[in-house]
Amino acid sequence: MSKAVFTAAITGAIHTPSMSPYLPITPAQIIDDCVASHEAGAAVAHIHVRDPLTGYPTADQTVFRQIATEVKQRCDIILCCTTGGRLGEPVQKRGAVVANLKPELASLNAGSLNFALFHVASKVEKWSFDWEEEYLKSTEDFIFPNTFRTMREFLGLMYENNTKPEFEIYDVGMINNLAFLVHNGIAKKPVYLQFVMGILGGIPATPENLVFLVDTARKQIGDFQFSVCAAGKDQMRMCATSLLLGGNARVGLEDSLYVERGVLAKNSGEQVAKIIRIGRELGVDPATPAEARTILGLKGLDQVNF
Amino acid sequence: MSKAVFTAAITGAIHTPSMSPYLPITPAQIIDDCVASHEAGAAVAHIHVRDPLTGYPTADQTVFRQIATEVKQRCDIILCCTTGGRLGEPVQKRGAVVANLKPELASLNAGSLNFALFHVASKVEKWSFDWEEEYLKSTEDFIFPNTFRTMREFLGLMYENNTKPEFEIYDVGMINNLAFLVHNGIAKKPVYLQFVMGILGGIPATPENLVFLVDTARKQIGDFQFSVCAAGKDQMRMCATSLLLGGNARVGLEDSLYVERGVLAKNSGEQVAKIIRIGRELGVDPATPAEARTILGLKGLDQVNF
Amino acid sequence: MSKAVFTAAITGAIHTPSMSPYLPITPAQIIDDCVASHEAGAAVAHIHVRDPLTGYPTADQTVFRQIATEVKQRCDIILCCTTGGRLGEPVQKRGAVVANLKPELASLNAGSLNFALFHVASKVEKWSFDWEEEYLKSTEDFIFPNTFRTMREFLGLMYENNTKPEFEIYDVGMINNLAFLVHNGIAKKPVYLQFVMGILGGIPATPENLVFLVDTARKQIGDFQFSVCAAGKDQMRMCATSLLLGGNARVGLEDSLYVERGVLAKNSGEQVAKIIRIGRELGVDPATPAEARTILGLKGLDQVNF
Amino acid sequence: MSKAVFTAAITGAIHTPSMSPYLPITPAQIIDDCVASHEAGAAVAHIHVRDPLTGYPTADQTVFRQIATEVKQRCDIILCCTTGGRLGEPVQKRGAVVANLKPELASLNAGSLNFALFHVASKVEKWSFDWEEEYLKSTEDFIFPNTFRTMREFLGLMYENNTKPEFEIYDVGMINNLAFLVHNGIAKKPVYLQFVMGILGGIPATPENLVFLVDTARKQIGDFQFSVCAAGKDQMRMCATSLLLGGNARVGLEDSLYVERGVLAKNSGEQVAKIIRIGRELGVDPATPAEARTILGLKGLDQVNF
């Protein structure tokens, strides 16, 4: 049996509270889903934070710390902190969590792209909060900004704090961005890639596209490790494809609110359990957090600042 | 013999005067290269304008008009006006040329990406103008902004003026952007794509990447027409690959300053002549401007506003 | 939920009795596994026959008829009779089962290739029957012969008996063979392809190869239906990939003797159950035999000659 | 400028005299075309022999020797002797030329496939010789036999005579055949592959197929050298694609009788000249025979037995 690292992306900054009553919003909800995902077999929890009252995505450092601390008390799951921030947030603030918590792993978005959610607004019948509709619709004019300078600065920050970057790859050219950073000594190998598929603005979530991404990365970077996540209905299909290609997989309510067609997931742990069932059928066992630390080369939970 | 449309991209907004004494800067130089490209066999000239004194990229409408008018007096080449503008230019100004000149063809960039030139600054030994070095280096923090709203607005403007959009595709996800616009009735088929390869921030210029782009477009859009251009040393190689795949080709000093390794092109016409020689060996003849108008479905030179 | 057709290839002509005590050899064993596979959810059983005493592959028409008749009495599974025959068998004899039983479905191998098993002989420690070792080793010099004339003759025979051909595709060029037959009016659309992967001599069993096969078939044939089977350890992985690509899947002891690493399958039904568990997790339900008849356009069990 | 090895395949065993008055048949004609190809820039001549009176493909060792000897007197071109033989020839006879002439290079077909020419027979209006029509039509039932045993025996013969094998690859699975031979120590690296595209029975001649073959070989074999040839109208297009992918190219009347659409080539040298013109435009220079010997690692003309 081979081992794969399963990640649960708990809440993200894409979905809004009206879309599912199960979307974790409060620190307690986020913490509970980290623990539930751990129990289901996830080795990593990818975390964003939200305003506990409205669910609006924030980067509140106090909330980040609270979540990290309590999760650490309850289990040894690896925390991967986002540096993607919420829509439109200034770049400087997005990295604060790395400096503050010195986590083992943090996301590093490997390029800029349109990141559009406006087309899903029409699917929501009733809004729970004032900010939601405008938040989604405004993305018709939104670019997720990650310039080469941003990437260079984030890398400096992460290496300084011994935090491993997880490179979020939204399209083929971003592999070349990363290869450029590697060849210029700005990013260090071995690198860990998260292929984020199916965002409107990025590469669609199809098996053929994933095969092409993996082949391209092999040609441009040589050895690397990768995981896959996909937006919406393609989540499980693409995660399974990743396992079939020898990769790892990320599920979670950040990426899809469903656990099967028409059935909302009650937490990310349900999705973790499902992809692990698929994995076991295919001869892939979940790596424990300890095994995942070895696989990804992380510094260990005793080296974080929380 | 099949026919291909050859485009000459005369000057662009990427290269700076210090890089080649042959880069057209003044209206007269740009006009002369349009005519030279026409004589060499190009059916389309893709034009940007620059400050005549410093070579700094502008969107000066008077200069655009002067160039368009004089080129029209001297030959029947199709003018494809840029709406890409120069680095950092506000979106509103980029479309003015369409409203003013009502050209037959205009570029429409199909998504946002890092558009980075900073890594080439170190190759220039001596700068002719103050602005050049900073212009290039600043691109470490530059995003070429083309949101879904931008695209929607540009399309409205172009269809209003009966100007055909040439969709500039820099990566795989942008094909999906275009498919989204088509499926939502915002862009009209048949569509004409320009695969722009080899920009740092976009997809690299390799034959396998082009094969994948063409296959992807066929799956997502069905029938379409395409051309290919590529930055720097890969220009001719990728244009030839396009012809081999049944596509059209764009050369010109905007994309590469060279006509062969180590030899600067004296004008875009030299590159046009070269790709046409290659084409003829492969059984592909250049379409005349009249033939290209039929192939691309353009309104004709008598319908422009210059 | 979408539906997929699951096929069980019961015994084949590749594996030999020494390799697994569970390999069905006698008519009763083959019949039982057809029924077990049906109970597990398979809609089709692909059958070869063997000498009941030695397990040597034969094309004994009496045995074929006995199996078909008894299976029909016990369940409504679709029978897909092989026309591949055993190693070295003259072409004429391979088609007899179609004329005799007039089955709903029969395999039609879409080209010639080396079909080599000699490299697995060294893995067997003790031989149960005299013929086995020589049978396997002789394949170093074996070609599976399916010329264009063979294909034309088999097609004539099948269409005459209203038996649908299942085209066994072992490599990319065989898709072109089939396209040639279609374009020349010798094969009729819609066509049903079985991609047979991982035979030494044919295309290896990898997800990227399957993506390429499917893409190629779409380009060359247009609409088509397909299933996938793969030799040995790649069986389940490739069947899952097929489901992810929208295809159908064939498992069974003909293709692999194992149900997971190191665990021999007790019958094909165990493998059917497993791929169906995977399918359900991915949103794919098994088609019943009745549904499969509609999907594949078969004549029905009341039209066969057994 | 990079260098490519250009090969001229002088006469082959596919085309028949009625198809072109320029097809070399007599030793003198074959010799003259070897020399003409050398003058045009070819480094290698791939040779078959024919009956001087009827043009029927033979493997007459006396004729082989006559040709090799006279070509050697007139120029230093590398001779690559076929071991493919004519349709239906017994395997043993096909290798005789290696033992007799001990050439620097010889073809080694890397698998079995249908090799079908019957569909072109209808294009010939008038037959010059009795054997031609039947020869072509009989290929509806023809398999080109190259089993693993054949390959092993040919390799033994070639290594014994210090003749480098040129592996003829007709489909994706044959790369795996070669990888199998390499991994089992039967074939020695570095290996030289000739992708033979567009034979009915093998993989079609398209740029996407060639990209896939090259990518597959890189994955399965690691470093390797390759050349490309293609049947009929795709000859020049595929040879150009090979140069664009960093490969070498084979032209010649064996593969295509034309030099452009509707224009018969007067000899293989015309095709050599054409592909070299294309190459030069793309920055690829022809390797001299001496350079090609270094590139391919050949023993030298002083080590042959003619």
Side-chain angles (χ1 to χ4, degrees):
Chain A
M1 274 260 175
S2 60
K3 299 273 183 177
V5 176
F6 293 97
T7 295
I10 305 298
T11 187
I14 294 173
H15 292 126
T16 69
S18 302
M19 296 174 179
S20 170
Y22 307 114
L23 184 69
I25 288 175
T26 65
Q29 289 167 338
I30 293 170
I31 292 161
D32 282 351
D33 201 3
C34 288
V35 175
S37 295
H38 175 259
E39 281 167 6
V44 181
H46 174 67
I47 54 170
H48 292 238
V49 297
R50 293 177 182 260
D51 179 302
L53 296 179
T54 65
Y56 190 76
T58 69
D60 186 311
Q61 295 300 312
T62 311
V63 180
F64 258 129
R65 178 168 295 281
Q66 178 189 354
I67 291 169
T69 306
E70 295 195 25
V71 169
K72 186 181 173 186
Q73 286 165 354
R74 293 174 58 186
C75 68
D76 69 342
I77 200 167
I78 298 159
L79 291 184
C80 173
C81 297
T82 185
T83 65
R86 70 158 181 271
L87 302 183
E89 193 168 32
V91 173
Q92 316 73 288
K93 293 188 66 176
R94 289 161 46 188
V97 70
V98 174
N100 290 338
L101 298 186
K102 303 185 191 308
E104 295 175 90
L105 201 56
S107 64
L108 199 165
N109 295 280
S112 304
L113 76 160
N114 292 344
F115 198 112
L117 313 167
F118 65 97
H119 57 304
V120 300
S122 61
K123 294 180 190 169
V124 179
E125 294 186 359
K126 194 166 171 302
W127 300 103
S128 306
F129 296 97
D130 282 348
W131 63 270
E132 296 180 78
E133 185 171 10
E134 172 56 21
Y135 181 82
L136 295 172
K137 289 194 171 167
S138 71
T139 61
E140 196 198 6
D141 206 31
F142 179 64
I143 300 168
F144 187 21
N146 301 288
T147 66
F148 278 92
R149 181 171 162 184
T150 306
M151 293 188 270
R152 177 169 55 80
E153 290 176 352
F154 274 143
L155 280 169
L157 181 65
M158 291 190 193
Y159 291 141
E160 203 174 287
N161 288 287
N162 205 6
T163 296
K164 174 135 182 170
E166 176 190 287
F167 293 96
E168 315 294 297
I169 305 287
Y170 295 82
D171 212 338
V172 177
M174 294 197 196
I175 297 169
N176 189 56
N177 293 354
L178 176 53
F180 176 88
L181 295 170
V182 168
H183 297 151
N184 285 278
I186 299 166
K188 299 176 201 162
K189 291 183 71 172
V191 290
Y192 179 43
L193 282 66
Q194 183 77 256
F195 294 115
V196 185
M197 306 185 74
I199 299 297
L200 180 56
I203 199 167
T206 68
E208 48 267 54
N209 283 349
L210 181 55
V211 163
F212 193 73
L213 288 167
V214 172
D215 274 358
T216 300
R218 204 165 284 141
K219 285 182 196 173
Q220 292 208 266
I221 300 179
D223 290 333
F224 64 98
Q225 292 170 306
F226 73 97
S227 178
V228 173
C229 64
K233 68 177 170 43
D234 297 309
Q235 177 184 64
M236 225 32 90
R237 194 165 77 108
M238 293 313 302
C239 286
T241 306
S242 179
L243 298 183
L244 290 164
L245 291 169
N248 306 286
R250 171 179 123 176
V251 292
L253 298 196
E254 169 167 352
D255 301 326
S256 169
L257 296 168
Y258 292 83
V259 67
E260 60 183 80
R261 183 183 285 259
V263 180
L264 288 169
K266 295 210 168 46
N267 59 23
S268 296
E270 283 193 5
Q271 296 172 342
V272 172
K274 180 169 181 163
I275 187 65
I276 287 177
R277 287 196 304 272
I278 296 171
R280 287 193 200 276
E281 297 282 2
L282 297 170
V284 179
D285 256 359
T288 63
E291 290 166 337
R293 286 183 171 96
T294 303
I295 291 169
L296 299 176
L298 306 183
K299 62 182 175 184
L301 202 40
D302 55 335
Q303 304 291 314
V304 300
N305 188 34
F306 56 84
Chain B
M1 274 260 177
S2 61
K3 297 274 182 177
V5 175
F6 293 97
T7 296
I10 304 298
T11 186
I14 294 173
H15 292 127
T16 68
S18 302
M19 296 174 179
S20 170
Y22 306 115
L23 183 70
I25 288 175
T26 66
Q29 289 168 337
I30 293 170
I31 293 161
D32 281 352
D33 200 2
C34 288
V35 175
S37 295
H38 175 259
E39 282 168 5
V44 181
H46 174 67
I47 54 170
H48 292 239
V49 296
R50 293 177 181 260
D51 179 300
L53 295 179
T54 66
Y56 190 75
T58 71
D60 186 313
Q61 295 299 313
T62 312
V63 180
F64 258 128
R65 178 166 296 280
Q66 178 189 356
I67 291 169
T69 306
E70 294 196 27
V71 170
K72 186 181 173 185
Q73 285 165 355
R74 293 173 57 185
C75 68
D76 70 341
I77 199 165
I78 298 159
L79 291 183
C80 173
C81 297
T82 185
T83 65
R86 71 157 180 272
L87 302 184
E89 193 168 29
V91 172
Q92 319 71 287
K93 293 188 66 175
R94 288 161 46 186
V97 69
V98 173
N100 289 339
L101 298 185
K102 304 185 190 305
E104 296 175 90
L105 201 56
S107 63
L108 200 164
N109 296 280
S112 304
L113 76 160
N114 291 344
F115 198 113
L117 312 167
F118 64 96
H119 56 305
V120 300
S122 61
K123 294 181 190 169
V124 179
E125 295 186 357
K126 192 165 171 306
W127 300 103
S128 307
F129 296 96
D130 283 348
W131 63 270
E132 297 180 78
E133 186 172 9
E134 172 55 21
Y135 181 82
L136 295 172
K137 288 193 171 168
S138 70
T139 61
E140 195 197 6
D141 206 32
F142 179 65
I143 300 168
F144 187 22
N146 300 289
T147 66
F148 278 92
R149 181 169 164 186
T150 306
M151 292 188 271
R152 177 169 55 80
E153 291 176 352
F154 274 144
L155 279 169
L157 180 67
M158 291 190 193
Y159 291 141
E160 203 173 286
N161 287 287
N162 205 5
T163 295
K164 173 135 183 169
E166 177 191 286
F167 293 97
E168 316 294 296
I169 305 287
Y170 296 83
D171 212 337
V172 176
M174 295 198 194
I175 296 169
N176 188 57
N177 293 354
L178 176 53
F180 176 88
L181 295 169
V182 168
H183 297 149
N184 285 277
I186 299 166
K188 299 176 201 164
K189 290 183 71 173
V191 290
Y192 179 44
L193 282 67
Q194 183 78 255
F195 294 116
V196 185
M197 306 184 74
I199 298 297
L200 180 58
I203 199 167
T206 67
E208 47 267 54
N209 283 349
L210 181 55
V211 163
F212 193 74
L213 288 166
V214 172
D215 274 358
T216 299
R218 203 164 285 141
K219 286 182 196 173
Q220 292 208 265
I221 302 179
D223 289 334
F224 65 97
Q225 292 171 306
F226 73 96
S227 178
V228 174
C229 64
K233 67 180 169 42
D234 297 310
Q235 177 184 65
M236 226 30 90
R237 193 165 80 109
M238 293 312 303
C239 286
T241 305
S242 179
L243 299 182
L244 290 164
L245 292 169
N248 306 286
R250 171 179 123 177
V251 293
L253 298 196
E254 170 168 353
D255 301 326
S256 168
L257 296 169
Y258 292 83
V259 68
E260 61 183 80
R261 182 183 286 260
V263 181
L264 288 168
K266 295 209 166 46
N267 59 24
S268 296
E270 282 192 5
Q271 294 172 341
V272 172
K274 180 169 180 164
I275 188 63
I276 287 178
R277 286 196 304 273
I278 295 171
R280 287 194 200 277
E281 296 283 3
L282 298 170
V284 178
D285 255 358
T288 63
E291 291 166 338
R293 286 183 170 94
T294 303
I295 292 169
L296 298 176
L298 305 183
K299 63 182 174 184
L301 201 40
D302 55 336
Q303 304 291 316
V304 300
N305 188 34
F306 55 84
Chain C
M1 274 261 175
S2 60
K3 298 273 184 180
V5 175
F6 292 96
T7 296
I10 304 298
T11 187
I14 295 174
H15 292 126
T16 68
S18 302
M19 296 175 179
S20 170
Y22 307 114
L23 184 70
I25 288 175
T26 66
Q29 289 168 336
I30 293 171
I31 292 161
D32 283 350
D33 200 3
C34 287
V35 176
S37 295
H38 175 259
E39 282 167 6
V44 181
H46 174 67
I47 53 170
H48 293 238
V49 297
R50 293 178 183 260
D51 180 302
L53 295 180
T54 65
Y56 190 76
T58 70
D60 186 311
Q61 295 299 312
T62 312
V63 180
F64 259 128
R65 177 167 295 282
Q66 178 189 355
I67 291 169
T69 306
E70 295 196 25
V71 169
K72 186 180 174 186
Q73 285 165 354
R74 293 174 58 185
C75 68
D76 69 342
I77 200 166
I78 298 159
L79 290 183
C80 173
C81 297
T82 186
T83 65
R86 71 157 181 272
L87 301 184
E89 193 168 30
V91 173
Q92 315 75 286
K93 294 188 66 176
R94 290 162 43 189
V97 70
V98 173
N100 289 339
L101 298 185
K102 304 186 191 306
E104 296 176 89
L105 201 55
S107 64
L108 199 165
N109 296 280
S112 304
L113 75 161
N114 291 344
F115 197 113
L117 313 167
F118 64 96
H119 56 306
V120 300
S122 61
K123 294 181 189 169
V124 179
E125 294 186 359
K126 194 166 172 303
W127 300 102
S128 307
F129 296 96
D130 282 349
W131 63 270
E132 297 181 78
E133 186 171 10
E134 172 57 19
Y135 182 81
L136 295 172
K137 287 193 172 169
S138 73
T139 61
E140 195 197 6
D141 205 32
F142 179 63
I143 300 168
F144 187 21
N146 300 288
T147 67
F148 278 92
R149 181 170 163 186
T150 306
M151 294 187 270
R152 176 167 57 79
E153 291 176 352
F154 274 144
L155 280 168
L157 180 66
M158 291 191 192
Y159 291 141
E160 203 173 286
N161 288 287
N162 205 7
T163 296
K164 173 134 181 170
E166 175 191 287
F167 293 97
E168 316 294 295
I169 305 286
Y170 296 82
D171 212 338
V172 176
M174 295 197 194
I175 297 169
N176 188 57
N177 293 354
L178 176 53
F180 175 88
L181 295 169
V182 168
H183 297 151
N184 285 278
I186 299 167
K188 299 177 200 163
K189 291 184 71 173
V191 289
Y192 179 43
L193 283 67
Q194 184 78 255
F195 295 115
V196 185
M197 306 183 74
I199 299 297
L200 180 57
I203 199 167
T206 68
E208 48 266 54
N209 283 350
L210 180 55
V211 163
F212 193 73
L213 288 166
V214 172
D215 274 359
T216 299
R218 203 165 285 141
K219 285 182 196 173
Q220 291 208 266
I221 300 178
D223 290 333
F224 64 98
Q225 293 171 306
F226 73 96
S227 178
V228 173
C229 64
K233 69 178 169 41
D234 297 309
Q235 177 185 64
M236 226 29 90
R237 193 165 79 107
M238 293 314 303
C239 286
T241 306
S242 179
L243 299 182
L244 290 164
L245 292 169
N248 306 286
R250 172 179 123 177
V251 293
L253 297 196
E254 169 167 353
D255 301 326
S256 169
L257 296 169
Y258 291 83
V259 68
E260 60 183 80
R261 180 184 288 260
V263 181
L264 288 170
K266 294 211 167 44
N267 60 23
S268 296
E270 283 193 6
Q271 295 173 343
V272 172
K274 179 169 182 163
I275 187 66
I276 287 178
R277 287 196 304 272
I278 296 171
R280 287 196 201 275
E281 297 282 3
L282 298 170
V284 178
D285 256 359
T288 63
E291 290 167 337
R293 286 184 171 93
T294 304
I295 291 169
L296 298 176
L298 305 183
K299 62 182 176 184
L301 201 41
D302 55 335
Q303 303 292 314
V304 300
N305 188 35
F306 55 85
Chain D
M1 275 260 176
S2 61
K3 298 275 182 176
V5 175
F6 292 97
T7 296
I10 304 299
T11 188
I14 295 173
H15 292 127
T16 68
S18 300
M19 296 174 179
S20 170
Y22 307 114
L23 184 70
I25 289 175
T26 65
Q29 289 167 338
I30 292 170
I31 293 161
D32 281 350
D33 200 1
C34 288
V35 175
S37 295
H38 175 260
E39 282 168 6
V44 181
H46 174 68
I47 55 170
H48 292 237
V49 297
R50 293 178 182 260
D51 178 300
L53 295 179
T54 66
Y56 190 75
T58 70
D60 185 311
Q61 296 299 312
T62 311
V63 180
F64 259 128
R65 176 167 297 281
Q66 177 188 357
I67 291 169
T69 306
E70 294 195 26
V71 170
K72 186 181 173 186
Q73 287 165 352
R74 291 174 59 185
C75 67
D76 68 342
I77 200 166
I78 298 159
L79 290 184
C80 173
C81 297
T82 185
T83 65
R86 69 157 181 272
L87 302 183
E89 192 167 32
V91 173
Q92 318 71 285
K93 292 188 66 175
R94 289 161 46 187
V97 69
V98 173
N100 290 339
L101 298 186
K102 305 184 190 305
E104 295 175 89
L105 202 56
S107 63
L108 199 165
N109 296 279
S112 304
L113 77 161
N114 291 344
F115 198 113
L117 312 167
F118 65 96
H119 57 305
V120 301
S122 62
K123 294 181 190 169
V124 179
E125 296 186 359
K126 194 165 171 303
W127 301 102
S128 307
F129 297 96
D130 283 348
W131 62 271
E132 296 180 77
E133 187 171 10
E134 173 55 21
Y135 181 82
L136 295 172
K137 289 193 170 168
S138 71
T139 61
E140 195 197 7
D141 205 32
F142 179 64
I143 300 168
F144 187 21
N146 301 287
T147 66
F148 278 92
R149 181 171 164 185
T150 307
M151 292 188 271
R152 176 167 58 80
E153 291 176 351
F154 274 145
L155 279 169
L157 181 66
M158 290 190 194
Y159 291 141
E160 203 174 288
N161 288 286
N162 204 5
T163 296
K164 174 138 184 169
E166 176 191 286
F167 293 96
E168 316 293 296
I169 305 287
Y170 296 82
D171 212 336
V172 176
M174 294 198 195
I175 296 169
N176 188 57
N177 293 354
L178 176 53
F180 175 88
L181 295 170
V182 168
H183 297 150
N184 285 278
I186 300 166
K188 300 177 200 162
K189 290 185 70 171
V191 290
Y192 179 44
L193 282 67
Q194 184 78 254
F195 294 116
V196 185
M197 306 185 74
I199 298 297
L200 180 57
I203 199 167
T206 68
E208 47 267 53
N209 283 350
L210 180 55
V211 163
F212 193 74
L213 288 167
V214 172
D215 275 358
T216 299
R218 203 165 285 140
K219 286 182 198 174
Q220 292 208 265
I221 302 178
D223 289 333
F224 64 97
Q225 293 172 305
F226 72 96
S227 178
V228 174
C229 64
K233 68 177 168 43
D234 297 309
Q235 176 183 66
M236 225 30 90
R237 194 165 79 108
M238 294 313 303
C239 286
T241 305
S242 179
L243 298 182
L244 290 164
L245 291 169
N248 306 286
R250 172 179 123 177
V251 293
L253 297 196
E254 169 168 352
D255 301 325
S256 169
L257 296 169
Y258 293 82
V259 67
E260 62 183 82
R261 182 183 287 259
V263 181
L264 288 169
K266 295 209 167 48
N267 60 25
S268 296
E270 282 192 5
Q271 296 173 342
V272 172
K274 180 170 180 163
I275 188 63
I276 287 178
R277 286 196 305 272
I278 295 171
R280 288 194 199 277
E281 296 282 3
L282 297 170
V284 178
D285 255 0
T288 63
E291 290 167 338
R293 287 182 170 94
T294 303
I295 291 170
L296 299 176
L298 305 182
K299 64 182 174 184
L301 201 40
D302 55 335
Q303 304 291 316
V304 300
N305 187 34
F306 55 85

